[in-house]
Amino acid sequence: MPERIYNFSPGPATLPYSVLQQAATDIVNFNNKGIGLIELSHRSKEFIAVADETESLIRELMGIPAHYKVLFLQGGASSQFFMVPMNLLAQGQKATYLNTGTWSKKAIKEAKLFATVDVAYSSEDINFKRVPRDDEYSVDPESQYLYFVTNNTIYGTQFQTMPAKDALLIADMSSDILSRPVDVSRFGLIFAGAQKNMGPAGVTVVIIREDLLDRVSDSVPSMLKYKTHAEKDSMFNTPPCFSIYCVGQVMHWLKTMGGIGAMEKINQDKAALLYEAIDSTDFYRGHAEKESRSLMNITFNLPTPELEARFIAEATAAGLDGLKGHRSVGGCRASIYNAFPRAGVEKLVEFMADFARKNG
Ligand SMILES: *Cc1c(COP(=O)(O)O)cnc(C)c1O
């Protein structure tokens, strides 16, 4: 393996090195067939086998019931902000949203174009440092669904358990899909942009309960209907072939790691190392409240913006890249998705102790 830096970027993010190597080989000569992976027709039996295998691995790893469709769409997770209400709500209907960060706020804005939005909870006034407990909000029985973001990538908060509400759950899992076991049967729809925890940018995975496909009105354009893509096995038009292939490779890797249950333990262990480093001194201050802490994106501040800037610059020079927090929170953020190695977290923890000693 060539020397690699530790990449704490929030997305696109670190991928398993074995996946990068396999992709590099297959791009030039796929399965020794004398044709490159990204030259294959999406209608070829070779590529259809790739897409089928990617889907069946996602189904197997997540335990997706048979009455759910798995779709490979484009337009990023952001397109789901309008596709969800456009497909699931009729005019005059209502949906409930939990406002726990930038991504939910954007989804709320789009949903308002289609229906009445009830924001049942918001942590905006405390800079999104927490997500709600079940007893902090209620869902109007008239509401068609409850929409929430399982992991708030920018603020470093995460639902530790899924809302126990008697409502159709819709979740943006872009930054924590496949990081822990989830009971898919409790959801109407789950979506995730691949570039955080599944592969490269370019494909958005949508998992939708079949009966919801028929809710869409005839006035919605074909490309924007889930039903169109479900009926054509995500081959209505040219799908993002390379991204789908890479997601499949990451799924193979996840299986070799022991699946999602094993991955959850690894993620808990990595995050605990970093949170211990933050909690062991007053020098570092975690942004998220403890009960809401994310295992994927760990956000923290230093005593001053000047120290934060120096911390990030010195970390970068030491091969710890991508630690700058999102511009809306400032500070630092370490994104440590499934493929981020424990050794990188250990190196960061050492660096943090050293930096605090010199500057504290
Ligand atoms: C990154 C992210 C998005 C936006 O993804 P795009 O693919 O860039 O549109 C949406 N939701 C969450 C939770 C994210 O982390």
Side-chain angles (χ1 to χ4, degrees):
M1 200 202 281
E3 182 130 5
R4 284 181 40 93
I5 60 171
Y6 290 114
N7 172 20
F8 290 91
S9 160
T14 299
L15 288 171
Y17 188 69
S18 60
V19 169
L20 298 177
Q21 272 182 315
Q22 189 63 49
T25 301
D26 284 340
I27 275 191
V28 180
N29 187 2
F30 179 68
N31 278 354
N32 265 328
K33 288 190 190 303
I35 182 170
L37 165 73
I38 54 177
E39 301 174 303
L40 286 172
S41 162
H42 62 294
R43 312 265 178 218
S44 66
K45 66 177 190 321
E46 287 82 6
F47 183 74
I48 289 176
V50 167
D52 285 351
E53 189 183 36
T54 303
E55 176 179 338
S56 71
L57 287 167
I58 295 172
R59 285 186 174 277
E60 178 188 338
L61 284 159
M62 291 185 70
I64 300 174
H67 62 295
Y68 284 73
K69 289 281 188 191
V70 177
L71 310 178
F72 299 121
L73 305 185
Q74 300 189 64
S78 298
S79 289
Q80 296 309 308
F81 301 165
F82 67 81
M83 274 185 80
V84 166
M86 193 181 222
N87 279 261
L88 301 184
L89 297 175
Q91 208 158 33
Q93 289 185 331
K94 183 191 266 189
T96 301
Y97 280 68
L98 303 180
N99 185 21
T100 56
T102 304
W103 300 118
S104 58
K105 216 175 147 177
K106 289 188 170 181
I108 290 165
K109 178 169 181 250
E110 301 300 290
K112 283 181 174 165
L113 298 172
F114 300 93
T116 305
V117 175
D118 181 19
V119 179
Y121 172 86
S122 176
S123 50
E124 189 166 12
D125 57 337
I126 48 170
N127 204 14
F128 298 118
K129 65 181 183 171
R130 67 194 303 272
V131 295
R133 293 184 314 266
D134 283 340
D135 63 3
E136 291 179 279
Y137 66 95
S138 57
V139 183
D140 186 334
E142 296 283 289
S143 200
Q144 297 298 310
Y145 60 75
L146 170 61
Y147 179 108
F148 69 110
V149 180
T150 50
N151 182 72
N152 296 281
T153 324
I154 292 174
Y155 299 90
T157 64
Q158 186 174 27
F159 281 82
Q160 313 297 312
T161 56
M162 299 304 163
K165 296 285 183 184
D166 186 21
L168 180 70
L169 299 182
I170 309 282
D172 175 355
M173 291 195 189
S174 293
S175 54
D176 69 350
I177 193 166
L178 295 154
S179 69
R180 56 178 172 173
V182 162
D183 179 1
V184 175
S185 71
R186 296 204 44 227
F187 292 82
L189 188 151
I190 292 168
F191 68 86
Q195 72 271 22
K196 272 83 183 221
N197 212 15
M198 306 183 97
V203 65
T204 302
V205 174
V206 173
I207 302 162
I208 180 168
R209 212 176 66 200
E210 260 169 13
D211 61 289
L212 299 175
L213 295 169
D214 290 319
R215 285 206 188 176
V216 70
S217 117
D218 289 341
S219 63
V220 171
S222 312
M223 271 297 284
L224 302 183
K225 284 179 177 154
Y226 293 123
K227 195 178 165 75
T228 305
H229 299 283
E231 282 173 347
K232 299 285 189 211
D233 289 329
S234 304
M235 298 273 183
F236 174 70
N237 69 323
T238 317
C241 302
F242 178 66
S243 301
I244 293 171
Y245 156 88
C246 289
V247 169
Q249 293 299 318
V250 172
M251 297 306 109
H252 274 299
W253 171 83
L254 253 179
K255 271 187 80 168
T256 66
M257 296 298 287
I260 298 187
M263 192 46 72
E264 180 185 39
K265 294 207 172 64
I266 295 170
N267 288 331
Q268 284 167 341
D269 169 63
K270 284 190 297 187
L273 269 182
L274 209 34
Y275 284 122
E276 270 161 37
I278 290 168
D279 292 340
S280 66
T281 127
D282 291 337
F283 190 73
Y284 300 105
R285 300 118 202 232
H287 175 73
E289 285 186 3
K290 284 191 181 166
E291 303 70 41
S292 296
R293 281 176 163 178
S294 168
L295 300 186
M296 302 275 96
N297 310 95
I298 290 155
T299 46
F300 56 96
N301 290 84
L302 276 66
T304 66
E306 292 69 34
L307 279 169
E308 284 167 347
R310 192 188 312 161
F311 178 89
I312 291 158
E314 289 183 15
T316 307
L320 302 165
D321 198 59
L323 286 164
K324 193 169 172 14
H326 190 270
R327 58 194 178 279
S328 57
V329 228
C332 305
R333 169 175 52 172
S335 298
I336 51 170
Y337 302 115
N338 287 352
F340 191 92
R342 190 181 199 274
V345 177
E346 290 166 6
K347 188 166 175 192
L348 174 59
V349 165
E350 261 173 54
F351 176 84
M352 286 169 72
D354 193 47
F355 190 88
R357 217 175 304 115
K358 288 182 187 143
N359 297 279

